[in-house]
Amino acid sequence: CDNTFISTVQQRGKAIIDARGLSSAASAANACLDHVRDWLCGTDGRIVSMAVFSKDNPYGINDDIIYSFPVTCSAGNYQIAKLPISMKSFQRMKATEKELLEEKKTALSI
């Protein structure tokens, strides 16, 4: 089940193209609109996933990258929510952190 979920998430762009016959760009644009709306208008306590600066996060992720965390938003501010995570999820988060740090290093070397 877990491997099926990961594969499904990794292939979501292709699934959108196959289902709609259109580029996934419209879906990405809609996600950007949702992100800004939640950030500026608030989430009324609802937890959403948002790419934010990682400083002082409760998950042990490096403090100097942009990372997707569960957050709540109010009046243009966000608060990273601390949710319980499994060891497997933590390991995946750390793998993503490693990839992001490598990409950051590459980008800064250009």
Side-chain angles (χ1 to χ4, degrees):
C1 177
D2 194 44
N3 289 336
T4 301
F5 174 75
I6 297 299
S7 177
T8 299
V9 170
Q10 290 172 333
Q11 299 299 317
R12 65 190 175 274
K14 181 182 180 314
I16 291 168
I17 293 169
D18 290 347
R20 298 179 59 206
L22 302 170
S23 166
S24 60
S27 178
N30 191 58
C32 290
L33 291 172
D34 289 345
H35 181 100
V36 172
R37 183 201 61 234
D38 287 342
W39 184 18
L40 297 178
C41 298
T43 60
D44 294 321
R46 183 174 45 95
I47 295 173
V48 298
S49 179
M50 190 172 284
V52 298
F53 191 58
S54 59
K55 185 168 176 37
D56 297 329
N57 74 85
Y59 295 97
I61 299 299
N62 182 288
D63 275 351
D64 196 27
I65 57 176
I66 302 297
Y67 194 96
S68 183
F69 291 106
V71 302
T72 56
C73 299
S74 178
N77 297 301
Y78 66 87
Q79 179 68 42
I80 297 175
K82 174 64 172 153
L83 301 176
I85 57 170
S86 68
M87 181 53 71
K88 193 168 197 169
S89 292
F90 178 73
Q91 290 168 341
R92 286 193 176 123
M93 289 175 73
K94 294 303 275 186
T96 299
E97 171 195 43
K98 181 179 177 189
E99 290 174 12
L100 291 170
L101 288 169
E102 288 170 359
E103 290 173 5
K104 177 183 174 181
K105 182 179 177 182
T106 299
L108 291 175
S109 71
I110 295 175

